[in-house]
Structure formats: C-alpha cells, structure tokens
Amino acid sequence: MKKSGAEILMESLKAQGVDTIFGYPGGAALPIYDALYDTDINHYLTRHEQGAAHAADGYARASGKPGVCLATSGPGATNLVTGIANAYMDSIPMVAFTGQVATSLLGKDSFQEADITGITLPVTKHNYMVKDVNDLSKIVKEAFHIATTGRPGPVLVDIPKDVSSTVAAYEDPGPVLLPGYSPAFKPDPKQVSRAARAIVEAERPVIYAGGGVVSSGAHEELKELAETLLMPVATTLMGLGGFPGDHPLSVGMLGMHGSKYANYAISDCDLLVAVGVRFDDRVTGKLESFAPNAQVIHIDIDQAEIGKNVRVDFPVAGDVRLCLREIMKQLEPKVESAWNGTINKWKKEYPLGYVDNGRIKPQQVIQEICTATKGQARIATEVGQHQMWAAQYYTFNRPRSFISSGGLGTMGFGFPAAIGVQVACPEETVFDIAGDGSFQMNIQELATVVNYKLPVKVAILNNGYLGMVRQWQELFYNRRYSYTEMSNPEFSKVAEAYGAVGIKITTPSEVRPAIEHALSVDEPVVMDFITDPEENVLPMVPPGEAINKMLG
Amino acid sequence: MRHTLAVLVENNPGVLARVAGLFSRRGFNIDSLAVGRTDNPTVSRMTIVVEGDARVLEQVNKQLHKLVDVIKISDITADEFVDRELVLIKVSVDPSLRGEVMQIADVFRARIVDLGKKTLTLECTGNNGKVDAFEESLQPYGIKELVRTGKIAMQRGSRYTGFTERSQKMNGNQED
Ligand SMILES: Cc1ncc(C[n+]2csc(CCOP(=O)(O)OP(=O)(O)O)c2C)c(N)n1
Ligand SMILES: [Mg+2]
C-alpha cells in the first residue's frame, strides 16, 4: 500500500513499539505532525524542545526503553542539541527525529535550515539524513537498533519535508545489515578466567560500579558477585541504585563528593573491579593516585573505554551482565574477610554528616524526602549542590530510581526528565530535586505537567545562589562571589500561576509536613525550601587531588 | 611513531567528516589522509597516516571501530607494504634552465606533464621519501605550486585488506 513518508514513519515507529513521543511542531515537521494526528501514539507537547529531549531521556532512564523526541528544523533542531549531548554523555538510548527543509532547498541557507546532522555528529552515536523516502523505514529500524544495542546512545534522524510528504510503498525493511556495526556481547572465556582468578586471589578487592550496571540490567548479578566474595561496592553517580544503598557491603558513592570510606577503600584496595564505568575525572581525581596499589579488572561493553584513561590488567569486554554471569561461574563463596572489618571501621569513623543550626539544612530535606517516600520514589535532579546532596542523602535501593545528568552536568535536565519518568511510571512518586538556578532553566515545563496532569513533585533547595559555583569560589577563589548570587521569583506563586500547587517552606519544622502534603495531592507541586544559603557539599576532593585527600 | 592504517568505510555521505571529526575531537594527529573508492562502489578506502605511541594507536583503532560506517581497520605498519604518493609540481624555469630540470626529472623518473612559456609542470610518484627528495631538488628553481595526494598503501604478498571478509561478515549476519 502507498503511504506518505510521514505515514511510513508512523508505521516504522509502531513496528519499534513506540507509544510515547515528546516533541514540538513547526513548519518542516508539519507532514509528520499531520500523520501523528491519526495514530494512537501519545505525544507530549513540551514547552521547549530541550524539554522534549530531556523528557525522552528521562523516559529512557526510568523504563529502559528508547526515548523518542521530535522537533522541527532549524531552531527546533538546535534546541534539541543539549538534550542529545546529555544523552550521549550518559549512554542513554534515544532516537531524535527532526524535520528538515526540502531536499531541493538544502545547502542554500533556506528558512529554518540548520545542518543538524553536522551539528550533532560529535554528540550522537550515529545520525542520518533521509534523502529518499524509500530508505525511511530501513533507516528508522537501524536507528533504533543502534540506539539500543551495544553501548546505548542517541541517534538522530533528519527528515526533509519533501521526504515526509512523498508517497511511496511501505515495506518491512527486513533484518538490519550494518557491516561496520557489531557490538560484542559475549566475553572472551580467557579474559573471564583471568579476571576470576584475580578476584579469588585478591585480599582487599573493591567493586567500582557505574551506569553500565544499570543499563545492562546487571544489578542482580552485581549483588550476587559482591555477596559471594564479600566485596565492598562503591558506585558512581550514574551507578546509584545499581547496588542497594542500604546493603551492608555498600560504601556509597566514590569520587569528588563520595563518602570518605568509599574513597579510602579505593585508595587501599589491592584489586579494583571496575564494572560498567569509564574512569571519569570526577571519580578518579588525580589519576596517578587512583587505586595506586591495585590491579585493575575492567568490565565494559565498550572496548574503547578499556585502557582509555588507566592501565588495565584484566580487561573483560562484553555486556556487563553476561560478563558477571560468566565470572561468577568460576568463583567459590568466601566466608569472611578482614578487609570488611577495616571498611566497617572507616564507616563508623567517617560518617556523612552536617551541623544543625536552626536553619533548613538541604541535607535534612533530602533525608525527610527519603523517609517520607520510604526510599521508593524515582528521584530526578538538576545539577549543582542539591544534586550531590540527593546522591549522598537519599538511599537508592533499586536501579533506574536515580535520574541525573552525570557526564554533561546539564542544569535544567531534572524537571523535564522527571516528566519523562512520570510518563514512564504513572503509578509512582516522582521528584525533581532542584536548585533555584537550575529550575529556572526549564521552568516553562510547569505548563506541561499541569497540561498533562503529571503529579511531579519539585523540591527546590533554594539557597539564593548558583551554589556549587559559589562553593568553588569560596574554597578556591578567595570568596569572590562573582555573579553567583541571584534574586529569585516567588517560586510558589509561579507554580500557582501555571496551575500547580506551590508551597514555600522557611523553617525546619515545616519541612516534613510540606513533603507529606505534596505527597497527599495528586497534582504537580513545587516546594520552595529556603535553605541555609552557604552550606557546602562535603566531603570534597579538591580538583586535581588524590581522592583520599578530602576536605570536610 | 608513524602508523599507516588502511580503513574500509561505507561510502555514505558524511563518512569523511565523521572520521576527520573523530581525529580532531580526540586530538589524534593525522599526518595524511587519502580516500577513494574501491572496486566495490559502496566501499571506500582511506589510507590514514597517524602519529602516536602504542596507547594512542589503540585508542585510534578502537574509536574508529565505533563509527558505524567503518567496516574494517588494518594497521599495516608492521607488515611489508608498498606505499605511494603522487605529486604535481609547477616550477618557473627560464628556458635556459629547462635542461637541468629535465635531468632532475629523469633521476626521479618524473614526467613532464605540461610545458608553458615560463613554467614546467612535473609529475612524480614514489614513497614519501622519494617525493620529499624530488620536491627538495626543485626548490632552488622556484616552486610556483605543489600538490600531493597523501599516501596510499597496500600490503605486499597474499595479505590484504579487502572486503571479501566484509561479504563474509555480511553473509554471517544474514545467516543468524
Ligand atoms: C547549563 C549549565 N550552565 C552552567 C553550569 C555550571 N554550573 C554547575 S552547578 C551550577 C549552579 C547550580 O545552581 P543551582 O541550580 O541553584 O544549584 P545549587 O548548586 O545552588 O544547589 C552552575 C552554574 C551547568 N552545569 N549547566
Ligand atoms: Mg542554588
């Protein structure tokens, strides 16, 4: 049967099981939106294309399914770019569709023309411009295949207006044939045996677990490995929830704002078992002093990560889940480990903490949210101090419950991401832990949550500062607060103006009741917590220092 | 150390930008890059000369592999290989000196491809060293214009970087 390119796109999306799209229309996307009108795909109109990209990203992080966003050409497409880059840095499966000017107008600086495949080349796993409607169904299939397999990532498909309008026959594209793309899944048995032997022989092993554990669904395998060998587990920001935060073997987060005991464990271990991680500088600090006495096992699906930043003694390339299963087969349970005694001693000696002073402490707000939600909420965050406090003080016990911009560190990510999370998990409680600065970067999405009755709870830790930057200025720039102080709007009134519930909280005793109230209403709520303005995130590894040299 | 890579890529629009972008983004040093079609019109072959130690080369290799359009990479540096470069050089020569220049051309087995009133254009092929030497010996006469293709290379003997293996891989895909 003959269909327009746009209709073929809809068929192709349905064939991929897509039922949700976040997007924003415009001229070059008109044919696509016209075809969308007749489908039962749920389209969420965000109020900015950046919001659509982050919502698709949040949807993917929470559900494990690819997120889909759609925008028009030119400014619509360029507005997606931050969201695409964000998904790229955190390896999130996403497919972004953009309208484009007609092929006859390409390269002529036509109205709303932007070279979006050129612009997104370094921030996509792959991208396409569809020049012939007969290639469309094949390209869409490839795009989803590439986005979701191997190390996941965003793929962009740019569709000129004449391609989406031209009529052609829709055919099933058949199996994907990409000679240059063959993600490795099964690990090499020799690599597995060597890694297993190293684990058996280690006296002071530590697992360093990251986002790869979450994206490959290896949390059960990781737990089994840790419990069998009594190995302590430190997670990265992206790995939070990949191992239960309340597990006796958990040492929490490592790195710049990690716990002291996690960083001590890494600094003292004789074997580092790195699982689904990439040795980011925010984790390792001074590279030469990172796990200086350890041999390193690195398990990752992306060969290129192995050996990129550190020397690896035992590489294991493959899907993290399959690798862990294979390694487990060669291990015998351990019954006791003196090493754990040392770690438990550090845990007692150097707990996370803060000093009460009668003001609302941001850490307290996070703890109260954790108690009130029994640690069962999905927590999205923006970027800054509040993000680190959320990571430190909320206990994440299940994967895909912490939704945060790790690699790119994108202020404005959390709120639209929370929209995607709420759409993916309609029955669950979804929070955005926000800063007063970050929230204003995508505050317009209040209209979206009200429009679609998405009961996202926004908790602003309002310190009147671009707090994380202010903290660096305080510590490393002589307290010269250059353009980090802000006068803010009344967020509760802004929320009300949009049709959401707004609450302003100024004293510690109001914190818990406000959270309870927010949880009791089935509506979007903005809680504006006026917090101690110059509270710092501690502990902290000063930039360029070894991770066991922490302040605080 | 300098490495010579033979890279087979899908002949898709933008593939050169993807490869070049990767090198600049990650700070890999390209000495030269030559690209052209192979006997299979859907496949192009790039000869990339890249400078770096073993760790850099490992990264170059692995990062290139991640590009969906890259089918196969061979580092042929350690193999016996034939490498060639073509250069065209236009020199301004007074007719009285033409003989001298022609003698130099003879030594390098270069050819004269154009003869103007005041200029002489020469063509020479050879490995980098020979082309460098040729260029140098013409320098005193005043080089007006020079263009080099960059190096292309191929393993000697029965080893090859071909797409027969690619078709096998594709068949393999089709089977599963
Ligand atoms: C889009 C973007 N711009 C700038 C930054 C740099 N930056 C990192 S944290 C931060 C301050 C965030 O302030 P706020 O949202 O109020 O959070 P706080 O640190 O006060 O909790 C800034 C400006 C960034 N990460 N993202
Ligand atoms: Mg702030």
Side-chain angles (χ1 to χ4, degrees), chain A residues 282-425:
Chain A
R282 282 293 186 271
V283 165
T284 62
K286 188 174 169 194
L287 211 49
E288 307 81 69
S289 314
F290 185 68
N293 310 314
Q295 292 203 295
V296 177
I297 296 178
H298 191 179
I299 306 171
D300 204 275
I301 189 140
D302 185 355
Q303 289 262 17
E305 286 303 340
I306 300 178
K308 185 182 81 178
N309 291 350
V310 299
R311 177 191 45 78
V312 172
D313 303 282
F314 308 102
V316 185
D319 177 69
V320 164
R321 191 169 173 200
L322 296 183
C323 294
L324 291 185
R325 279 193 191 162
E326 290 304 311
I327 291 173
M328 272 304 297
K329 286 184 191 157
Q330 308 195 11
L331 301 176
E332 297 291 329
K334 249 196 200 174
V335 280
E336 53 170 16
S337 132
W339 173 228
N340 278 306
T342 313
I343 288 185
N344 288 333
K345 200 182 85 207
W346 286 333
K347 277 193 185 177
K348 285 208 191 74
E349 253 172 78
Y350 308 105
L352 273 180
Y354 58 93
V355 186
D356 266 318
N357 62 356
R359 290 177 175 261
I360 298 178
K361 286 286 172 178
Q363 300 92 331
Q364 175 213 348
V365 177
I366 307 289
Q367 283 175 327
E368 303 254 21
I369 292 173
C370 189
T371 330
T373 57
K374 303 188 179 64
Q376 292 300 308
R378 306 257 183 182
I379 305 288
T381 79
E382 307 289 345
V383 169
Q385 292 183 310
H386 60 279
Q387 175 190 32
M388 293 300 126
W389 286 316
Q392 291 175 331
Y393 288 90
Y394 197 96
T395 309
F396 296 96
N397 288 327
R398 55 181 183 139
R400 305 191 178 281
S401 58
F402 182 64
I403 312 289
S404 195
S405 168
L408 197 65
T410 313
M411 290 173 69
F413 167 77
F415 187 36
I419 291 176
V421 176
Q422 188 75 75
V423 168
C425 315

Side-chain angles (χ1 to χ4, degrees), chain A residues 59-83:
Chain A
Y59 178 90
R61 287 181 204 238
S63 67
K65 295 191 282 185
V68 180
C69 58
L70 169 62
T72 190
S73 66
T78 54
N79 272 349
L80 289 180
V81 172
T82 301

Side-chain angles (χ1 to χ4, degrees), chain A residues 50 82 382-387 389 408-412 434-441 460-470 484 486 488 533 537:
Chain A
Q50 186 186 355
T82 301
E382 307 289 345
V383 169
Q385 292 183 310
H386 60 279
Q387 175 190 32
W389 286 316
L408 197 65
T410 313
M411 290 173 69
D436 44 334
S438 299
F439 186 53
Q440 293 182 76
M441 285 213 176
I460 305 174
L461 303 183
N462 186 346
N463 50 14
Y465 281 110
L466 298 172
M468 186 57 96
V469 182
R470 185 208 55 74
T484 41
M486 288 175 293
N488 287 318
V537 181

Side-chain angles (χ1 to χ4, degrees), chain A residues 88 121-122 125-128 146 151 177-182 302-311, chain B residues 10 13-14 17-18 21 25-26 55 58-59 62-63 65-71 166 169-170 173-174:
Chain A
Y88 183 69
L121 196 126
K125 188 171 171 188
H126 195 54
N127 64 21
Y128 293 92
I146 292 169
R151 177 179 180 172
L177 275 183
L178 292 166
Y181 181 73
S182 47
D302 185 355
Q303 289 262 17
E305 286 303 340
I306 300 178
K308 185 182 81 178
N309 291 350
V310 299
R311 177 191 45 78
Chain B
E10 296 250 20
R18 285 181 205 282
R25 191 159 70 242
R26 299 214 176 251
R55 258 187 90 163
E58 184 185 326
Q59 269 297 303
K62 286 173 164 180
Q63 296 293 351
H65 258 297
K66 283 169 64 169
L67 296 181
V68 173
D69 287 336
V70 170
I71 301 166
R166 167 177 179 266
K169 198 166 151 194
M170 285 179 79
N173 272 354
Q174 274 161 347

